[in-house]
Amino acid sequence: MSLPPIAVFDLDGTLAETAGDLIGTLNALLTREGLPELPLAGARDLIGAGAKALIARGFQAAGATLTPERHDQLFLDFIEHYGRHICEKSYLYPGLVKALDRLEADGFRLAVCTNKVEGLAVDLLEKLGIAGRFAAICGRETFPFHKPDPRHITETIARAGGDPARAVMVGDSRADIDAAKAAGVPVVAVTFGYTDTPVDQLGPDRIISDFADLVGAVEALVPRKAA
């Protein structure tokens, strides 16, 4: 029996707009440390590589340096605070649910591959009402490696029971695109997520600005039926 085709999604900036809660938590830490808060609009592009990178980028933007030990403690503090405020301002992007419906109707399995901590990813997706749609939700520490390591994607596909020869990655950042390329998986990039470099400069296979265009982009790259 052949395995189903699979669409693997990043989470932050791809499935959901989460900047309000992520930058809110970062600003709570900055305030506690006596540093200025960062404006949401200017800080969105600090997101995309996980909480540890967000902390490092945020403190650098605020003019502060961190020792490795302090960085580790702030990461724990970030996870604790963010876990209590994970879905106060976050929401699914318009058109996402309809696009997922269509992919499932066309026989695609769905999975999430995110640099967010797995437990937080599951919690957020449950609160957003779509966790049950994914055959696997794999986070930063699910495996001993994470994006841009290509094995984060390939192991997510394996855990979800999808066909690696008929897989596609959907993401918003360099980490997503570089990991997919290295894994030999075609990648659809969204323009509305979190990236410090416009996605059209990162070489994805397809670019969309609206989830109404997702199914067409995916099915142009991935056959519905095995050859």
Side-chain angles (χ1 to χ4, degrees):
M1 182 177 178
S2 62
L3 297 174
I6 184 167
V8 181
F9 292 84
D10 177 50
L11 202 174
D12 298 296
T14 301
L15 293 172
E17 176 64 37
T18 57
D21 293 320
L22 287 166
I23 301 303
T25 295
L26 174 62
N27 279 333
L29 297 185
L30 290 171
T31 298
R32 191 189 70 186
E33 299 295 312
L35 296 167
E37 293 189 358
L38 301 176
L40 178 60
R44 288 180 84 256
D45 291 344
L46 301 179
I47 305 168
K52 259 202 158 177
L54 175 59
I55 294 164
R57 293 169 178 176
F59 273 72
Q60 182 179 30
T65 58
L66 294 173
T67 65
E69 296 76 16
R70 188 64 184 138
H71 194 186
D72 289 343
Q73 182 57 53
L74 285 168
F75 173 70
L76 297 177
D77 295 345
F78 185 101
I79 296 301
E80 189 277 331
H81 184 280
Y82 180 62
R84 291 187 286 108
H85 302 275
I86 196 168
C87 199
E88 294 180 353
K89 299 178 181 177
S90 297
Y91 57 88
L92 299 175
Y93 286 113
L96 170 68
V97 170
K98 186 174 182 179
L100 297 182
D101 287 342
R102 289 185 58 194
L103 286 173
E104 288 183 311
D106 287 346
F108 278 79
R109 191 158 290 185
L110 307 176
V112 171
C113 178
T114 175
N115 279 341
K116 201 180 205 74
V117 172
E118 181 184 322
L120 293 176
V122 172
D123 187 29
L124 176 58
L125 291 168
E126 285 177 346
K127 285 180 166 62
L128 292 170
I130 61 169
R133 307 192 72 143
F134 300 103
I137 299 172
C138 299
R140 182 182 185 88
E141 82 297 359
T142 303
F143 310 109
F145 35 76
H146 55 81
K147 296 179 297 184
D149 191 308
R151 294 173 295 174
H152 198 181
I153 295 176
T154 56
E155 289 299 316
T156 297
I157 293 168
R159 179 168 290 197
D163 185 347
R166 294 187 295 149
V168 62
M169 179 71 197
V170 183
D172 67 317
S173 71
R174 183 186 297 275
D176 300 318
I177 294 168
D178 286 354
K181 286 181 176 181
V185 172
V187 56
V188 176
V190 302
T191 61
F192 42 77
Y194 313 131
T195 177
D196 55 4
T197 302
V199 291
D200 62 0
Q201 297 178 25
L202 300 175
D205 297 281
R206 293 288 190 280
I207 297 173
I208 63 169
S209 298
D210 191 306
F211 270 119
D213 300 321
L214 178 66
V215 175
V218 166
E219 294 188 349
L221 298 170
V222 181
R224 299 187 199 182
K225 296 182 180 180

